[in-house]
Amino acid sequence: MVYPIVMYGDPVLRKKAKEIVKGEMDVKAFAQDMFETMEAASGIGLAAPQIGKSIRFFVVDASALEEQPELKDFKKVFINPTILKEEGNEWDFEEGCLSIPNIREDVWRKEKLRIHYFDEEWVEHEEEFDGMKARIIQHEYDHIEGKLFIDYLTPLKKKMLKGKLTDISKGDVDTEYRILAPLRK
Ligand code: NI
């Protein structure tokens, strides 16, 4: 099932999401919905709050980024993740977000991380990721902490984006996917 994507301004994007208790929901079916929704929006990552569910769950699939062959198999489900450590030099990259369409800005992030999580079979993992994989995880992990990539911008940059962000909250934005805008009348 493809869900509409929640737009900037919805309080669900600002909540710290809750841990999932094993057995309380069908995580495999939910993962399927998340992948379908992400694919319909041509995203490479999607966190549960972006479809209105405040739970610690996100998916990534960067296998379509052909110019980066190391991402070929990077399709994963992260349940109840915890970033244990981030290290290395900070590097910048232009990020975007399905909840903040048509805005892309440089964000600085550390190059490496170690993360503990469960997959959709409830198998426990502790793994290290770096480069683009780490960045995608950091961006999605921020979502379940109630954080957005625009939070990293300077006050001036944020001020310059204010009008666009208001338009997004009103649903006054062009997307090729279905959206749910908090201020739409
Ligand atoms: Ni995002």
Side-chain angles (χ1 to χ4, degrees):
M1 177 183 160
V2 174
Y3 285 84
I5 304 226
V6 170
M7 292 293 102
Y8 174 82
D10 192 305
V12 75
L13 297 177
R14 289 309 192 178
K15 271 201 218 157
K16 189 178 161 88
K18 284 216 307 243
E19 291 245 324
I20 299 159
V21 178
K22 190 177 173 179
E24 77 177 347
M25 61 181 281
D26 184 345
V27 290
K28 270 198 207 168
F30 189 68
Q32 192 58 43
D33 289 347
M34 290 282 286
F35 278 122
E36 278 177 31
T37 302
M38 181 174 70
E39 276 153 29
S42 307
I44 54 173
L46 184 72
Q50 294 181 278
I51 60 165
K53 319 264 185 211
S54 192
I55 51 176
R56 299 182 75 78
F57 192 118
F58 64 80
V59 296
V60 299
D61 182 3
S63 54
L65 295 182
E66 283 156 1
E67 66 276 20
Q68 301 199 52
E70 74 278 10
L71 296 173
K72 195 162 53 81
D73 304 314
F74 192 53
K75 181 175 182 180
K76 281 175 180 294
V77 176
F78 292 83
I79 300 174
N80 292 346
T82 308
I83 290 184
L84 304 170
K85 125 175 133 179
E86 286 179 280
E87 60 186 357
N89 293 324
E90 293 208 344
W91 62 293
D92 68 313
F93 185 82
E94 205 176 57
E95 293 188 18
C97 180
L98 295 176
S99 294
I100 313 174
N102 308 337
I103 293 181
R104 301 191 65 87
E105 294 292 341
D106 275 338
V107 177
W108 291 81
R109 297 190 191 267
K110 290 213 167 111
E111 65 187 354
K112 243 169 119 173
L113 61 82
R114 188 166 189 85
I115 188 166
H116 176 264
Y117 67 98
F118 296 86
D119 63 24
E120 72 275 30
E121 310 281 351
W122 283 105
V123 175
E124 196 173 4
H125 300 267
E126 195 179 311
E127 289 169 17
E128 278 185 9
F129 295 95
D130 61 10
M132 206 53 201
K133 292 181 183 175
R135 178 171 294 269
I136 296 166
I137 291 169
Q138 286 158 330
H139 178 111
E140 299 312 324
Y141 190 82
D142 274 352
H143 274 300
I144 61 170
E145 292 289 304
K147 212 165 166 184
L148 300 167
F149 81 92
I150 52 168
D151 299 348
Y152 295 96
L153 306 180
T154 62
L156 176 65
K157 250 275 121 85
K158 268 187 233 168
K159 210 171 159 187
M160 286 162 52
L161 290 175
K162 212 175 164 206
K164 274 194 187 173
L165 290 171
T166 304
D167 287 346
I168 289 170
S169 298
K170 288 178 180 161
D172 197 1
V173 62
D174 275 332
T175 56
E176 307 211 319
Y177 47 94
R178 216 149 49 91
I179 63 170
L180 204 62
L183 301 180
R184 183 179 269 162
K185 284 181 196 124

